[in-house]
Amino acid sequence: FMNSFIRIFGHGAARFIANASIYGFFIAGLLYLLINIFSPKGVLTYGIIGFLVCLVLCLPGGMLLSSLEKHSKNLVRRISQKEGLFLNEQYLLGLPSHKYFAFDVKHRKIAACDSANDTYKIHDFSFIIRWHTDYDTVIRGEVGLGGNPIPGTPMQGPTYREKTQYRNFRLVLEVNDLNCPIVNISMRSNDEALQWHARLNAIFNG
């Protein structure tokens, strides 16, 4: 069923539904916990029923996400068998996107995979020229209370401070491709981006 769903709706829609389902499960669990603590017995019963309904609806999301990852690794395995390579299925750069890179350290080959349509291209290690981490910086102004006293009144003036946020963490690859020389790979956190940066150093220079 999961593979049929992926073929019909595509990897993008499948990943969105899977992630939404998993987040929905955690939200349902949190709501259940709050209801259990603060609500009377009658409301508690409805809370338990709602939680069970969300659980039934959200579990397929986790199964779908697992199926997507399995599909990606199966593609890498088929490429290795067809091309006589030893692509590492454990470290796939770009997952959970349907476009990702697999690496064969022994033969110094890269497979640029697209599991949405089961296609790939094989490159030498020289395809990736260099890489670095990057992120977006957003500065927001926040207005609060508790500033300097306003002369002649018992009131205090507002306070203002700037808050810096970092988001959209990514690993940026410069590749030997005239049409698309920059490849941005989204990361969940800065730590994950730094880890992949170090891992690429080990792959290419080890």
Side-chain angles (χ1 to χ4, degrees):
F1 169 77
M2 293 299 175
N3 290 333
S4 299
F5 184 94
I6 294 171
R7 286 195 299 270
I8 294 173
F9 294 98
H11 275 246
R15 291 185 192 281
F16 174 80
I17 293 173
N19 288 324
S21 298
I22 293 173
Y23 285 130
F25 171 74
F26 284 112
I27 292 173
L30 179 60
L31 290 175
Y32 167 72
L33 180 62
L34 293 176
I35 290 173
N36 189 31
I37 294 174
F38 297 107
S39 296
K41 186 176 180 180
V43 179
L44 174 60
T45 301
Y46 289 108
I48 295 174
I49 295 174
F51 173 75
L52 293 176
V53 170
C54 290
L55 179 62
V56 172
L57 294 176
C58 295
L59 278 179
M63 296 171 59
L64 181 57
L65 196 61
S66 177
S67 180
L68 289 168
E69 182 176 354
K70 183 179 179 181
H71 181 83
S72 299
K73 291 185 176 182
N74 285 340
L75 174 60
V76 172
R77 191 176 299 115
R78 293 197 303 269
I79 296 171
S80 292
Q81 293 172 351
K82 182 178 179 180
E83 302 291 341
L85 299 175
F86 296 97
L87 296 168
N88 192 322
E89 301 172 18
Q90 183 178 1
Y91 298 117
L92 303 178
L93 176 59
L95 286 182
S97 170
H98 64 90
K99 291 186 177 182
Y100 52 90
F101 294 97
F103 302 92
D104 178 350
V105 176
K106 180 178 180 180
H107 297 98
R108 300 186 68 79
K109 296 290 184 180
I110 304 169
C113 309
D114 187 342
S115 57
N117 48 29
D118 285 353
T119 58
Y120 66 92
K121 291 183 180 180
I122 302 298
H123 303 281
D124 294 325
F125 267 18
S126 58
F127 176 72
I128 297 181
I129 301 171
R130 62 181 64 90
W131 55 90
H132 66 274
T133 61
D134 200 3
Y135 53 83
D136 295 335
T137 302
V138 178
I139 300 177
R140 299 182 181 275
E142 293 186 349
V143 179
L145 301 176
N148 295 325
I150 300 176
T153 71
M155 302 174 58
Q156 289 182 303
T159 61
Y160 176 84
R161 68 186 182 95
E162 291 185 345
K163 183 177 181 181
T164 302
Q165 296 180 335
Y166 304 100
R167 62 187 186 184
N168 297 332
F169 300 102
R170 56 193 179 271
L171 187 68
V172 182
L173 307 180
E174 297 181 32
V175 300
N176 189 15
D177 186 339
L178 292 176
N179 296 320
C180 186
I182 302 293
V183 178
N184 288 287
I185 300 176
S186 297
M187 296 285 160
R188 289 171 294 185
S189 65
N190 190 46
D191 287 342
E192 185 182 32
L194 292 174
Q195 188 176 51
W196 260 110
H197 187 280
R199 184 172 290 130
L200 288 184
N201 284 333
I203 290 173
F204 282 83
N205 304 319

